[in-house]
Amino acid sequence: MLFRSHLGNLLAELPSLKVLTWVLQVMPLFFAAGQIANAGSYEAARAAGRPWRVWYWARVRRLARPALYYLAIWIPIALGLEAALPRAAGPLARLSTQLLWFLGVYVLVVALTGPIAKMAERGWSSVLVLLVVITAIDLGRFHVTGGIGVVNFLVVWVLAATLGPIVRARAGEARLLLVAVAALVVNLAVVRYGPYPISLVGMPGEPISNMAPPTLVLALHSVWLVALIGRAWPHLDRWCHRPRAWVATCLMGGLAMTVYLWHLTALILLTVLEHELGLDRPAPQDAWFWPATIVHVAVFLACTVGVVLLAAPLEHLPIPWLEHPTVGDGPWRRFAAVVSVPVLAIGFLVISLTGMQGFPNHVREYVGIPWTPAIALGVLLTGVLLARAGGASPEDRAANGRH
């Protein structure tokens, strides 16, 4: 058999490739760019007199809509995999929701847009304070209790978000290059002399992950990466003013959630197809591995384009019951909006852990609590409904009154 593929981790089998994660780990840029957009949107909402809860629901709705469509489609896919490929269904279905952790953290960052904006106004002093806090949490994780490390799920990504407005306000400044170089040098020293692994993604078998929960290494990576982009901002801005480049940027922006959610589905479908056709890739030690990998990646990209084109309409397709909150006023609406923040975060984070494996009743433990895909989905829907209840605005009440 020429091709031989299996579910595993290529970086674990080819450790020399781990250094590539220092270039390919760009998640901090999503939080930095997201905060720039969130801050502008929040200021516009305040100027228009819209309360935080209404603004927050508008942002959450933009995230929840494509995610709910995604999960609704994946439930029958998971059940079909279980029936057709019982031995492979578990790992594949578990992988399906892995990336939803991002939404779990991001809804927290969105909710904290106001405080983050105030920290960004203080500039680099806020970054230094956050780095000290992250370091203290890591020390507690390594020397007191590992559980405290989960706090960095929020603090590290708040740092990445705070960097966005800080760097945007200083776009193109030469000192940003100095900041980037300094952060990179410190990060190399931390990895060289500290307990941290070199990989910026989680690796099987390693006692410490720089991603789950995030560590000082990922925080410093965020600093140098965002600062470097800030230094290059004028050049990127000129490039984006080219009509074709701007059209492509807007197109990708409109499809961002679709690409993020569905590219793993394309990979899963391709893996199943390769296996069923007997076209599995060889092991990394085989001479045919890299030619087979090039073919595999090319086909994967083509499959991703196809899946994204099919799923793209769902990103902006209204869900009737979701779009307009119920009519009514009262302090309970702000309470509902506030409570929705941790409930949404827990829902997204837990369903990213459980996946669709064994839907609805397969049990996985998370922070000592048994969870199933159905329970995780229920928590997520509860968070969405709470945010929706808190997001009622005069415009919604007027629209509902006309119907």
Side-chain angles (χ1 to χ4, degrees), residues 13 38 47 108-109 120 155 165 183 206 253 267 286-287 340-341 371 384 392 395:
E13 299 185 61
N38 289 335
L108 296 174
V109 171
V155 182
E206 287 190 339
L267 179 60
D286 192 289
S340 76
V341 177
W371 297 89
V384 170
E395 293 82 1

Side-chain angles (χ1 to χ4, degrees), residues 52-381:
W52 170 84
R53 60 181 179 80
V54 175
W55 170 83
Y56 180 68
W57 166 240
R59 306 302 279 184
V60 167
R61 182 175 56 192
R62 176 69 179 85
L63 302 171
R65 185 192 299 125
L68 291 177
Y69 277 124
Y70 178 81
L71 293 170
I73 292 171
W74 248 100
I75 289 172
I77 291 177
L79 296 174
L81 284 173
E82 188 69 35
L85 300 169
R87 299 179 69 177
L92 292 172
R94 187 167 64 248
L95 183 66
S96 63
T97 63
Q98 190 176 74
L99 295 181
L100 290 182
W101 72 265
F102 167 76
L103 297 180
V105 178
Y106 191 67
V107 294
L108 296 174
V109 171
V110 172
L112 294 171
T113 291
I116 292 174
K118 291 181 180 179
M119 285 194 295
E121 290 173 0
R122 299 188 183 97
W124 295 111
S125 62
S126 294
V127 174
L128 291 174
V129 169
L130 288 170
L131 287 172
V132 169
V133 172
I134 291 164
T135 302
I137 293 170
D138 272 4
L139 290 173
R141 172 186 175 184
F142 299 145
H143 300 292
V144 181
T145 173
I148 196 175
V150 299
V151 178
N152 271 343
F153 268 119
L154 179 60
V155 182
V156 170
W157 295 122
V158 163
L159 168 70
T162 305
L163 286 165
I166 290 176
V167 167
R168 178 68 185 93
R170 298 160 177 77
E173 290 184 1
R175 70 183 67 181
L176 287 175
L177 185 58
L178 296 177
V179 171
V181 171
L184 179 59
V185 169
V186 173
N187 212 13
L188 290 170
V190 167
V191 171
R192 174 65 180 82
Y193 298 105
Y196 303 98
I198 191 172
S199 174
L200 289 177
V201 298
M203 297 293 298
E206 287 190 339
I208 297 170
S209 167
N210 283 317
M211 271 293 290
T215 64
L216 176 63
V217 171
L218 191 59
L220 289 167
H221 177 74
S222 301
V223 174
W224 79 259
L225 183 62
V226 177
L228 190 63
I229 293 296
R231 178 64 182 90
W233 194 290
H235 307 288
L236 297 172
D237 186 59
R238 284 194 296 271
W239 181 78
C240 283
H241 275 80
R242 298 177 181 178
R244 290 183 180 178
W246 182 242
V247 168
T249 301
C250 291
L251 178 63
M252 288 305 298
L255 296 174
M257 278 291 292
T258 302
V259 174
Y260 185 77
L261 289 170
W262 287 96
H263 74 277
L264 268 184
T265 299
L267 179 60
I268 290 169
L269 294 177
L270 177 59
T271 300
V272 171
L273 182 62
E274 287 175 339
H275 179 75
E276 290 302 301
L277 295 177
L279 297 175
D280 296 337
R281 278 187 295 163
Q285 296 76 23
D286 192 289
W288 283 101
F289 173 75
W290 287 112
T293 296
I294 292 172
V295 173
H296 172 79
V297 170
V299 176
F300 163 63
L301 292 176
C303 290
T304 300
V305 170
V307 170
V308 166
L309 289 177
L310 287 173
L314 300 178
E315 183 156 347
H316 305 282
L317 181 66
I319 301 176
W321 63 266
L322 185 72
E323 304 305 319
H324 297 292
T326 54
V327 177
D329 283 309
W332 68 271
R333 288 196 178 275
R334 182 171 178 83
F335 176 77
V338 171
V339 173
S340 76
V341 177
V343 176
L344 277 169
I346 292 170
F348 276 123
L349 289 170
V350 172
I351 206 166
S352 74
L353 174 88
T354 65
M356 288 289 120
Q357 180 182 10
F359 187 90
N361 296 321
H362 181 77
V363 177
R364 294 196 73 189
E365 194 171 283
Y366 188 56
V367 293
I369 302 173
W371 297 89
T372 68
I375 292 174
L377 183 58
V379 173
L380 177 59
L381 288 173

